[in-house]
Amino acid sequence: MNRLCMLAVTTALALLPQMATAAEKTLTVGVSDALSGGGAVYGEPQRRAINLAIEQINAGGGVHVGEDTYKLKTIEYDDKADPTEATNVARKLIDRDGVKFLMGYCCSASTGAVASIIGREDVIMLVGTAGARAITAAGNDNVFRTRPPGDYSGAAAGRFIASKGVKRLGVLATRDVALFTQYRDALIEAFEAEGGEVVALETFGGQDRDMSAQLTKLRGLEPDGYFISGYVEQVAFAYRQAYELGITAPRYGFSGGSAEQFLSVASSEALEGVWDLIAIEFNADALGDTAKAYAKAYEERWDAYPTPNSAFAYDQVYVLRDALEAAGTVELDDVKKALRNLAVPEETVLEYLPVDGKMFDPKGQAYISNGAFQFHNDKWDFVTKLPSDSAAYSAYFQTITK
Amino acid sequence: MLVDLIQQLFNGLVIGSIYTLVALGLTIIFGILGIAHFAHGSVAMFGGYLTFFFIQQFGIGLFPAMAVAMAVGALLGVVLERVAYHPVRNAPPINAFIIALGLTLIIEKANLLVFGVDQVIIPTGFDRVFNIGGVTLPELRVYILGIAAFLVVAMTILINRTWMGMAVRAVAQNRPAAILMGINVNTVSMFVFGLSSALGVAAGVLVGALFAVAPGVSGGLVVKGFAVLILGGLGSIPGAIIGGLVLGVSEAFASAFVSSAYKDVIAFLLMIGVLLIKPEGLMRRRSNR
């Protein structure tokens, strides 16, 4: 009997560490995003959305990978939307922290810099809001992005502006962010293909907040519509200054900022009637119940309403969870394979348009619908979806590398 | 066409008046103490944040908040002079140069720590837009021109019509002779830093009201300020006034008649042009010292 007891105790003691190990397995995710500076309006909401999704997944029992269950945790760094800083952060996460999964990445220039070196690294990079085409067009097999490239939305926007009866368009756009220049070029091409004329293309730089001179010049050319694109803070200043200059023609834009972000710069009167033509990022009216539940959870957790771009990052976490569970291992090659064959996870907020039934196309690019939103009574109203053909764009996307 | 021309002139004068305020602060320090005070832009941002804080916390108006912030800014300037620059007054110029760079980082990071990363727009309530013959004049921009003009006139009177102003000019013209005449150079240094920082704060407030106070803005301000200095003449007060306005108007006209892509290049082209033709600057006589 004593020997039996001893055997039972010994067996129990031998099993304990294994049980403890299984219960305590943690998978660390590296988050690199703009948490200060101009890009923070996109980066900080992404960081919050990632943490929200992780808390939800952990509260729901974690990620079931084969026999193991993992709890997720993050290591977070501020890349300031700066290419050098973002590259340093990536090196720190990979070399010092030993992280295998990177996510966040709101801004094109910084993300592009990391994407250019990441193909040589044993990691998987999940990109959020950064929309420069080359990030996924380069074809690294370890880069996956939830946001579609800028030109995918730009062409749809150009056709939409022409369909509203605009014949002469004045364009004011940021000149040094690939997402916006690619969107702008695709918009101009589509608009001109519909018979429209661009009266002038004016630009502004990354730190500019005074576009009065450019708007005055455009006003003098008397266009019957304006297109303004760039980061939300700059675009909001442009709308404010357009209002001060007495510009009343329809104003179309591409920035993806929340109503609160716009109103912190420009008055209701200056923004009334402005259009935002974007891939349908988070919008509770346009996306329905899942989006409403996300907004509620985000608001409860962070005491702030989610910004439109934040859902790109929220969805990244569920993408990673499903890929890990489908792979049944945390080995990178298996997870990459699982990502390539992944169906759209149930919990994702955005409305993805799968290509051949898969969330990501062969270059790791996902697509969502495009939509037209109009500012009315201090909020963005969803007006209509813009015709978007993800399969056709993806076929074209496979032929380019930048 | 004429309407657009006048509109661009107005746009340029408003921006130019802010450049002038920044450059005035830089030029009096450089002219009198020979220090390239790179931290001036960070001090300006500090003033903008402080004004926003006063308005939000105490519900006071823009002008009283700005006046208090300028007073605090002047005090900060005196502290910077005493703590950072005074100890190296007899050291090689490179020491003051490195201290200026260090101060820039310290004040910039302190702003981030105290006021956070978000951009701040100073509320003014000046939302009306006047329209005169098709030229639109936003109320806030008109006030900015007025405030800048008032500060320039006040500073000119202070420098030209007061005993302290006379002492400042004496030190600027011939420091050893001023000391021999019994002028306390230490007091003049502190006064100059106080005055410069107060002007910098005023510029920061105007930037914060018209655009925003945010991390990263100060660098651009200082670059433009130094461009104005070279344009108008290092250490020249009339040069800073004229140079600032010339730069602002040139940028606006460059956007209108050349290309907005080259707006910022204009500042540096002007600098190069002036250095080639009149190396001492637009408003400075050739030195015979």
Side-chain angles (χ1 to χ4, degrees):
Chain A
M1 184 63 186
N2 279 348
R3 287 176 68 182
L4 202 63
C5 279
M6 281 292 286
L7 185 66
V9 169
T10 313
T11 311
L13 284 173
L15 281 174
L16 260 177
Q18 283 179 7
M19 287 163 70
T21 307
E24 287 172 12
K25 272 197 168 170
T26 300
L27 186 71
T28 304
V29 175
V31 176
S32 173
D33 232 323
L35 308 179
S36 66
V41 291
Y42 300 100
E44 177 61 19
Q46 284 211 141
R47 187 193 70 79
R48 292 177 176 185
I50 288 169
N51 278 283
L52 172 65
I54 284 177
E55 286 164 17
Q56 288 172 339
I57 289 169
N58 288 344
V63 185
H64 307 294
V65 183
E67 307 255 307
D68 298 320
T69 298
Y70 284 85
K71 291 286 170 71
L72 300 177
K73 76 163 194 166
T74 60
I75 296 179
E76 299 164 2
Y77 294 112
D78 179 9
D79 65 28
K80 302 181 175 70
D82 175 73
T84 309
E85 196 71 33
T87 310
N88 292 341
V89 164
R91 288 258 61 94
K92 211 186 295 179
L93 283 166
I94 297 166
D95 299 335
R96 196 184 69 182
D97 301 322
V99 165
K100 295 289 179 193
F101 300 97
L102 309 178
M103 56 173 67
Y105 299 107
C106 71
C107 297
S108 288
S110 48
T111 307
V114 178
S116 68
I117 59 157
I118 213 72
R120 300 189 293 269
E121 304 293 338
D122 277 336
V123 292
I124 287 177
M125 179 184 183
L126 293 158
V127 178
T129 309
R133 201 167 56 189
I135 292 168
T136 41
N140 290 319
D141 73 343
N142 57 350
V143 179
F144 297 85
R145 177 166 60 179
T146 40
R147 192 226 178 97
D151 55 339
Y152 166 73
S153 305
R159 288 189 289 271
F160 175 77
I161 294 172
S163 76
K164 301 298 280 183
V166 175
K167 299 285 180 211
R168 289 164 48 77
L169 188 67
V171 177
L172 172 63
T174 187
R175 62 174 163 263
D176 45 15
V177 181
L179 164 68
F180 296 110
T181 55
Q182 286 161 5
Y183 178 107
R184 176 198 76 195
D185 292 345
L187 178 141
I188 290 173
E189 194 180 326
F191 179 71
E192 288 179 339
E194 298 289 319
E197 178 201 354
V198 172
V199 295
L201 166 59
E202 293 299 318
T203 62
F204 53 86
Q207 292 289 330
D208 286 356
R209 287 180 170 87
D210 182 22
M211 293 78 167
S212 305
Q214 293 95 316
L215 286 165
T216 302
K217 180 181 178 183
L218 289 175
R219 187 185 68 173
L221 297 169
E222 298 179 354
D224 48 16
Y226 291 80
F227 171 74
I228 301 172
S229 78
Y231 288 130
V232 52
E233 288 169 351
Q234 294 176 299
V235 171
F237 273 107
Y239 287 140
R240 171 170 147 181
Q241 289 151 14
Y243 176 74
E244 289 172 351
L245 287 167
I247 289 172
T248 53
R251 290 144 296 154
Y252 302 90
F254 170 58
S255 69
S258 69
E260 290 74 20
Q261 288 169 335
F262 273 95
L263 285 166
S264 70
V265 175
S267 65
S268 303
E269 295 79 27
L271 294 168
E272 186 65 25
V274 159
W275 292 86
D276 205 11
L277 309 175
I278 54 175
I280 302 182
E281 300 178 339
F282 164 71
N283 182 287
D285 295 332
L287 296 171
D289 291 342
T290 319
K292 286 190 178 104
Y294 165 65
K296 188 166 176 281
Y298 187 102
E299 218 168 357
E300 282 171 5
R301 176 64 180 83
W302 299 108
D303 199 25
Y305 198 73
T307 58
N309 76 301
S310 62
F312 287 122
Y314 179 82
D315 289 353
Q316 286 177 336
V317 187
Y318 282 100
V319 161
L320 179 62
R321 182 202 65 180
D322 278 18
L324 287 167
E325 292 190 345
T329 169
V330 293
E331 288 301 317
L332 288 182
D333 285 340
D334 296 314
V335 180
K336 274 189 246 177
K337 208 165 157 189
L339 279 163
R340 300 229 166 271
N341 293 307
L342 196 71
V344 178
E346 255 179 47
E347 294 87 346
T348 51
V349 171
L350 303 175
E351 188 181 82
Y352 291 94
L353 303 175
V355 176
D356 294 332
K358 296 164 189 168
M359 177 163 178
F360 295 103
D361 75 4
K363 284 199 169 170
Q365 181 61 60
Y367 300 93
I368 58 176
S369 320
N370 291 307
F373 297 82
Q374 193 168 26
F375 204 90
H376 183 54
N377 289 338
D378 293 349
K379 65 183 179 68
W380 287 110
D381 287 343
F382 171 65
V383 178
T384 184
K385 281 186 186 170
L386 307 180
S388 314
D389 188 342
S390 59
Y393 181 86
S394 176
Y396 156 73
F397 194 60
Q398 305 314 305
T399 66
I400 56 174
T401 54
K402 58 183 184 180
Chain B
M1 184 64 186
L2 184 64
V3 168
D4 289 339
L5 200 70
I6 298 170
Q7 186 76 59
Q8 294 290 16
L9 185 66
F10 176 73
N11 295 339
L13 286 175
V14 173
I15 301 305
S17 66
I18 294 176
Y19 293 161
T20 292
L21 285 183
V22 176
L24 274 176
L26 287 170
T27 209
I28 53 171
I29 289 183
F30 192 87
I32 290 149
L33 305 170
I35 296 169
H37 183 41
F38 297 115
H40 194 61
S42 306
V43 171
M45 288 300 103
F46 167 75
Y49 282 121
L50 202 62
T51 304
F52 178 78
F53 173 78
F54 288 145
I55 292 173
Q56 293 295 102
Q57 289 297 312
F58 307 120
I60 56 177
L62 173 69
F63 295 121
M66 185 174 170
V68 178
M70 284 175 72
V72 176
L75 198 63
L76 175 67
V78 173
V79 171
L80 290 181
E81 196 278 332
R82 284 290 96 183
V83 175
Y85 291 115
H86 184 71
V88 296
R89 65 195 179 285
N90 296 321
I94 187 73
N95 291 29
F97 182 82
I98 291 166
I99 282 175
L101 291 177
L103 275 179
T104 309
L105 287 174
I106 291 168
I107 299 172
E108 185 84 5
K109 297 298 173 195
N111 283 341
L112 267 175
L113 278 174
V114 177
F115 300 107
V117 300
D118 292 335
Q119 75 165 10
V120 159
I121 298 169
I122 297 170
T124 63
F126 304 137
D127 295 331
R128 288 180 296 170
V129 179
F130 308 112
N131 190 321
I132 302 172
V135 178
T136 55
L137 308 173
E139 186 182 11
L140 176 60
R141 288 183 182 238
V142 174
Y143 280 128
I144 283 173
L145 261 183
I147 291 168
F150 170 77
L151 289 171
V152 167
V153 170
M155 201 197 92
T156 309
I157 292 172
L158 191 66
I159 294 292
N160 290 324
R161 300 285 170 86
T162 64
W163 182 88
M164 182 52 89
M166 201 191 301
V168 168
R169 281 184 289 135
V171 174
Q173 280 169 15
N174 193 326
R175 190 185 179 93
I179 293 169
L180 289 172
M181 296 302 289
I183 291 172
N184 186 336
V185 178
N186 284 340
T187 310
V188 169
S189 291
M190 285 191 284
F191 174 77
V192 163
F193 259 91
L195 180 62
S196 163
S197 298
L199 287 171
V201 164
V205 174
L206 300 185
V207 168
L210 190 57
F211 307 121
V213 185
V217 173
S218 61
L221 267 186
V222 168
V223 168
K224 292 288 167 70
F226 275 107
V228 170
L229 242 66
I230 293 167
L231 201 60
L234 290 167
S236 161
I237 291 172
I241 299 167
I242 299 296
L245 297 178
V246 166
L247 183 62
V249 172
S250 304
E251 284 185 355
F253 280 14
S255 285
F257 304 114
V258 186
S259 165
S260 44
Y262 299 114
K263 193 180 92 169
D264 290 329
V265 178
I266 289 298
F268 298 101
L269 285 178
L270 273 173
M271 256 169 57
I272 293 166
V274 168
L275 283 173
L276 286 173
I277 298 161
K278 206 168 181 294
E280 66 277 12
L282 289 176
M283 300 298 289
R284 205 155 181 233
R285 291 201 187 100
R286 203 176 286 275
S287 171
N288 52 9
R289 270 189 288 169

